[in-house]
Amino acid sequence: MDPLRATARIIVRYRIAFALVAVFLLVLSLYGIQNLRFESGLRGMLPENHPAIDDYTALQNEFQGGDSTLIMVKVSSIEPGGVYDVRDPGVIGAIYDLEQRLRKRAYVTDTASIADVYIQVLGRLPNNEEEARFVLDMLPQEERYRLVSRDYTTTIIAVTINREENTKTLVRIHDDIEKDIESVNFPQNVEVIQTGNVGISYRILELLQSDLNSTMAIALILVLALLLYFYRSPVKAAIPLIPLLFGVTMTLGFMGIMGIPLDLATTTVGAMMIGMGIDYGIHVTNRYYEERRRGRSVEESAEEAVAETGKALLGAALTTIAGFAAMYLSSIPMLHHLATALILGLSLSALNAVVITPAVIILEEDVMKRLRGHHVLPEVRSSSGLVAKVFHGLGEAIRRKPSVFLTAVLLITILFGYGVTRVTTEVRLEKMVPEGVPEIEALIDITNNFGGQSELYVLLKADDVRNPAIVRGIYRFENEIKADSDYNGVIDSESIADVVRDKYGYIPNDREEISEAIKNTGLVSGDYSMTLIKFKGDFGGSMDDFRRIMRYFEEETTRAEDTEFPPGVELSPTGDTYLNYVLDGITSVEINRVSTYGTLFVVLIVLLLFRRPKVSVAMITPMFLGALWTLGFMGLAGIPFTQSLAGVISMIVGLGVDYGMHLTHRFLEEVKEGNPRPIVTSVESVGPGILAGALTTAGGFLALLAGELPTIHDFGKTLAFGIFASMFAAYLVTPALLQIFYGRNTGGDGE
């Protein structure tokens, strides 16, 4: 006996025992869900063994920096009784009070604000607005407008933070700073908003949590609505839905048990599993109903559904898993987490579909028999009415004129081929938060009013950074960078060379004098082997401008090592801004690597499973077309590749091959049984199931549009389009190629 058929018989016979085991795993999963954690930091998106991570680690460990938050203080209204200018002594006093509270926090290493200027100049805070205006007017215009906006309605507090890179610390710091802000009595009309790295990372974390719940709920509603349409009954719609709910709950539970975090990529898993997992249950359920209409008994129909559909499901699951497994070859940890979560989820969903579905479907039949006194032959919308007529007509048309359909596919491919040339990438965290969010609006205000507040660090390593030749080299390097400010966006810099010159008016040749000047500055490591050069400026704009500026710093640090410093000195850009650039380069490489290997893995599994070149070509061609059309869609729709989308083509390849596989498997089954028109039967019998599966899968992906994060929107749109592209390619290409390859031999009259 066929091993799969023997397995199907065991599953059906001992269905209650298998169902009880599934219930036990479900209970265990509910425990695991409580341990799920969210992660929104940039550090978790980069490989641990990358040189940029080593420099970033040194930045945090040696200089107690590398992270910051900006607090925007803004006059946001002109209501009577309030203030209209940040130079108001009440505003300045509140800023000073907030700074003092922040400095008491153990993780705050420094703060800077307009209040510090008054303390330095007056030795106290201003007593009236005239005094406040006078002090600011004394400052050079360039320095003044780094502290306040030109209309004097906005100022900022820059807070330097040393924190552990984990979610709990991020939440604690953000909440502590919010409490400090709320505890200060700012005058009426003044709005205070926390932004910068901490503020944006916290907002992303908050949106991840809300998006997980909202996208899963919307996906479930969409899938349920489609099931009700196709099965015409809430009870019958629940049959493929119950194994799905088991699979999704188990997936999230095991993620919690295994310590897989929910990040910008894995937050989509809930909605994705609802969309993808339902496909397995639909195919088993549809085949069961088909066998019942043929007159088979309840148990015989269940065995046949599990045995025959199981073959296609096994192949589909293996190819999908192969596509997802390619993400393990990436060096981006986020993609590893996504691959693990998806493979786990798909495996559990497929297993639940073949184990739970027979138990549920036979239980439903038994209950209905007791209520009505006899079995009722099921009738679903996908096998009758308009849907059935459309697929029968499609099968007949392809049987007669397969080349016409292939020509249409070629024209569509040319159109999307143009879109491929327009695909871009975007990896900056601030670009992944939706417009209108207070933290982003505040950051935009700061950029517009103060010429940019992004920070880029250059880490200098040497035997002893107090060497006068090194300090002079730093001074020359800084000034050369600032001389190119129109090109690189730099508006200010800070280094030990500045500190030394401020103290002595020149750079002395005595190391002890230099050592005396730079102690307690926070710009040198404890053993004087490293120092920081800080650059502040507007490094944003388009992704092309961002890359250009980062390449400029890479080139300048390399040049300066050879021309400005004595031998043995190493310079390297670092900090969050530079890590974004590193991630951009890694993402571009990973897109090609993951997509290529994912495709190769899927093709290899198809060849191993079917071992027929023509059959394999008919099966995998829609997969290639679906991936190509999806790339073109991204280019035409302006959807950039992000770190979470780096594996999307591999995912579509793994998912897209399923449709061609189901059609091909049914075609081979019909040929084996001597059907003279196997193409027509394959399209009209499997086509509706593919449509239902694709609609529910795409519905799960489109539910991601209910999330607030733009990157999750893009993820949903791209995957949904990829599913529809793969489905249409399978409908048009697989039957046409099979008809061309085998039509004459099966009694057909194809071209």
Side-chain angles (χ1 to χ4, degrees):
M1 180 183 290
D2 181 358
L4 193 55
R5 189 169 295 278
T7 303
R9 182 162 297 177
I10 293 172
I11 289 173
V12 174
R13 181 174 299 174
Y14 300 103
R15 57 187 178 274
I16 302 300
F18 283 113
L20 290 175
V21 171
V23 170
F24 169 75
L25 293 176
L26 184 70
V27 173
L28 180 64
S29 301
L30 293 175
Y31 163 75
I33 287 176
Q34 301 175 35
N35 296 322
L36 280 172
R37 62 185 177 88
F38 291 83
E39 185 176 281
S40 64
L42 177 66
R43 178 74 177 272
M45 302 177 193
L46 286 164
E48 289 296 330
N49 58 352
H50 196 282
I53 288 294
D54 296 335
D55 291 335
Y56 187 78
T57 301
L59 174 69
Q60 291 195 312
N61 293 341
E62 296 293 338
F63 301 97
Q64 298 186 341
D67 211 348
S68 65
T69 192
L70 295 171
I71 300 173
M72 184 182 76
V73 179
K74 182 178 182 179
V75 178
S76 58
S77 65
I78 54 172
E79 294 180 8
V83 301
Y84 310 101
D85 191 320
V86 294
R87 293 172 294 183
D88 185 282
V91 176
I92 298 169
I95 290 173
Y96 180 77
D97 185 12
L98 178 56
E99 273 195 281
Q100 301 314 302
R101 294 172 187 267
L102 292 171
R103 286 172 178 169
K104 292 178 182 177
R105 301 288 184 184
Y107 45 78
V108 173
T109 59
D110 192 20
T111 66
S113 77
I114 187 175
D116 300 332
V117 175
Y118 293 101
I119 296 297
Q120 292 170 5
V121 174
L122 301 175
R124 57 175 173 78
L125 298 177
N127 293 322
N128 51 62
E129 192 166 332
E130 289 73 21
E131 195 172 50
R133 290 171 182 264
F134 175 75
V135 171
L136 279 185
D137 288 343
M138 290 174 55
L139 300 176
Q141 189 177 72
E142 182 180 345
E143 185 175 344
R144 184 192 319 157
Y145 294 133
R146 291 176 191 166
L147 299 170
V148 294
S149 59
R150 292 180 180 273
D151 61 0
Y152 298 102
T153 61
T154 307
T155 186
I156 56 174
I157 306 171
V159 185
T160 305
I161 292 170
N162 177 35
R163 71 176 178 95
E164 296 177 13
E165 286 287 326
N166 61 62
T167 300
K168 289 183 179 179
T169 304
L170 171 68
V171 172
R172 179 171 61 84
I173 290 175
H174 179 275
D175 290 348
D176 285 349
I177 293 175
E178 284 298 312
K179 288 178 184 176
D180 287 341
I181 291 173
E182 291 171 5
S183 66
V184 173
N185 186 25
F186 278 90
Q188 184 180 332
N189 294 349
V190 175
E191 181 182 20
V192 184
I193 300 174
Q194 183 183 176
T195 184
N197 291 337
V198 171
I200 291 174
S201 294
Y202 178 84
R203 176 61 69 174
I204 289 176
L205 180 68
E206 193 176 59
L207 293 176
L208 285 175
Q209 294 171 330
S210 64
D211 283 358
L212 175 68
N213 297 325
S214 62
T215 56
M216 284 183 61
I218 297 296
L220 194 58
I221 292 170
L222 289 173
V223 166
L224 182 58
L226 288 167
L227 290 175
L228 287 172
Y229 173 80
F230 279 109
Y231 292 108
R232 298 181 175 179
S233 162
V235 175
K236 286 184 170 53
I239 291 171
L241 190 64
I242 290 173
L244 169 69
L245 295 177
F246 272 60
V248 173
T249 305
M250 289 180 186
T251 301
L252 293 175
F254 284 122
M255 285 176 66
I257 292 171
M258 297 167 65
I260 300 172
L262 288 164
D263 52 33
L264 285 169
T266 53
T267 299
T268 62
V269 164
M272 288 176 64
M273 291 315 308
I274 290 174
M276 291 187 294
I278 194 65
D279 196 35
Y280 299 119
I282 285 176
H283 283 293
V284 174
T285 305
N286 280 1
R287 185 58 185 260
Y288 171 84
Y289 288 152
E290 184 181 336
E291 296 302 323
R292 290 284 286 125
R293 287 193 299 273
R294 291 180 177 180
R296 294 195 178 192
S297 68
V298 171
E299 291 201 354
E300 286 176 342
S301 298
E303 287 180 16
E304 189 69 17
V306 173
E308 290 300 329
T309 309
K311 294 175 184 177
L313 288 183
L314 177 61
L318 286 175
T319 51
T320 303
I321 288 172
F324 292 169
M327 289 188 281
Y328 283 122
L329 298 176
S330 169
S331 58
I332 300 177
M334 178 187 291
L335 293 186
H336 294 181
H337 297 154
L338 182 60
T340 301
L342 289 175
I343 290 172
L344 178 67
L346 281 173
S347 302
L348 290 169
S349 296
L351 189 62
N352 278 294
V354 297
V355 171
I356 301 297
T357 304
V360 174
I361 208 166
I362 293 175
L363 176 63
E364 188 264 346
E365 289 263 32
D366 290 343
V367 170
M368 295 305 294
K369 181 181 179 181
R370 291 183 181 181
L371 292 175
R372 299 187 180 184
H374 60 87
H375 283 300
V376 179
L377 289 179
E379 185 67 35
V380 297
R381 199 182 302 271
S382 60
S383 60
S384 63
L386 179 61
V387 174
K389 291 178 181 178
V390 168
F391 280 103
H392 177 80
L394 178 63
E396 285 287 357
I398 292 174
R399 184 181 67 85
R400 292 192 181 97
K401 297 290 182 181
S403 61
V404 172
F405 289 88
L406 295 180
T407 302
V409 167
L410 177 62
L411 295 176
I412 295 171
T413 303
I414 291 172
L415 171 64
F416 284 112
Y418 166 72
V420 172
T421 64
R422 301 173 61 86
V423 176
T424 59
T425 61
E426 175 61 80
V427 299
R428 291 169 290 181
L429 279 182
E430 64 267 24
K431 302 297 182 181
M432 297 182 187
V433 180
E435 294 181 2
V437 170
E439 288 83 355
I440 291 297
E441 293 298 310
L443 193 61
I444 292 173
D445 277 351
I446 290 171
T447 300
N448 291 338
N449 288 315
F450 301 99
Q453 289 293 324
S454 297
E455 290 187 339
L456 178 73
Y457 304 124
V458 173
L459 183 66
L460 185 149
K461 300 178 183 178
D463 290 336
D464 189 337
V465 298
R466 295 171 295 181
N467 183 338
I470 292 177
V471 179
R472 292 191 185 96
I474 292 172
Y475 181 73
R476 289 192 297 268
F477 175 66
E478 268 190 279
N479 283 283
E480 288 168 0
I481 295 294
K482 287 193 286 187
D484 291 336
S485 60
D486 290 341
Y487 182 80
N488 58 34
V490 170
I491 62 171
D492 195 13
S493 66
E494 180 185 2
S495 72
I496 58 173
D498 300 325
V499 174
V500 172
R501 283 184 60 85
D502 287 346
K503 182 175 180 64
Y504 300 115
Y506 64 97
I507 297 174
N509 288 320
D510 188 342
R511 288 193 190 206
E512 293 304 318
E513 289 185 79
I514 292 175
S515 181
E516 176 65 25
I518 64 176
K519 68 180 181 180
N520 301 323
T521 61
L523 294 172
V524 292
S525 60
D527 61 358
Y528 296 102
S529 65
M530 289 184 282
T531 185
L532 276 183
I533 308 170
K534 299 182 180 181
F535 293 100
K536 183 180 291 186
D538 183 5
F539 307 130
S542 70
M543 198 64 195
D544 287 339
D545 287 338
F546 175 70
R547 293 190 191 104
R548 173 181 56 78
I549 292 172
M550 293 303 106
R551 283 195 297 268
Y552 166 88
F553 274 98
E554 285 184 331
E555 293 166 0
E556 285 300 303
T557 51
T558 301
R559 179 198 60 78
E561 282 182 5
D562 300 329
T563 60
E564 307 294 345
F565 295 92
V569 172
E570 296 179 13
L571 296 174
S572 53
T574 187
D576 285 327
T577 300
Y578 183 68
L579 283 189
N580 275 299
Y581 171 70
V582 173
L583 181 59
D584 175 60
I586 291 173
T587 301
S588 299
V589 172
E590 300 306 329
I591 290 168
N592 295 325
R593 178 191 299 173
V594 172
S595 301
T596 300
Y597 281 103
T599 303
L600 289 175
F601 290 166
V602 170
V603 171
L604 181 61
I605 286 180
V606 169
L607 291 174
L608 289 174
L609 286 176
F610 290 89
R611 300 178 184 177
R612 298 185 188 179
K614 289 183 179 180
V615 169
S616 299
V617 168
M619 194 182 303
I620 65 177
T621 301
M623 169 193 80
F624 286 110
L625 291 173
L628 179 63
W629 293 356
T630 302
L631 273 174
F633 166 74
M634 292 178 67
L636 295 173
I639 297 175
F641 270 109
T642 62
Q643 49 270 55
S644 56
L645 277 170
V648 73
I649 298 303
S650 179
M651 294 169 62
I652 290 170
V653 165
L655 291 167
V657 74
D658 293 1
Y659 302 126
M661 185 172 290
H662 284 298
L663 283 166
T664 304
H665 179 267
R666 187 56 182 264
F667 173 83
L668 295 175
E669 185 182 337
E670 296 300 324
V671 169
K672 186 177 180 180
E673 294 177 358
N675 187 337
R677 298 155 68 88
I679 285 297
V680 179
T681 303
S682 300
V683 173
E684 67 182 359
S685 61
V686 179
I690 290 176
L691 176 62
L695 285 173
T696 50
T697 301
F701 294 157
L702 288 174
L704 297 175
L705 296 178
E708 295 185 68
L709 288 166
T711 184
I712 290 181
H713 288 189
D714 292 344
F715 204 83
K717 286 185 288 187
T718 303
L719 283 173
F721 181 88
I723 289 299
F724 283 127
S726 300
M727 179 190 72
F728 280 113
Y731 282 150
L732 301 178
V733 175
T734 298
L737 290 177
L738 289 172
Q739 181 64 22
I740 289 173
F741 294 154
Y742 301 105
R744 296 184 185 277
N745 297 332
T746 58
D749 54 356
E751 294 177 348

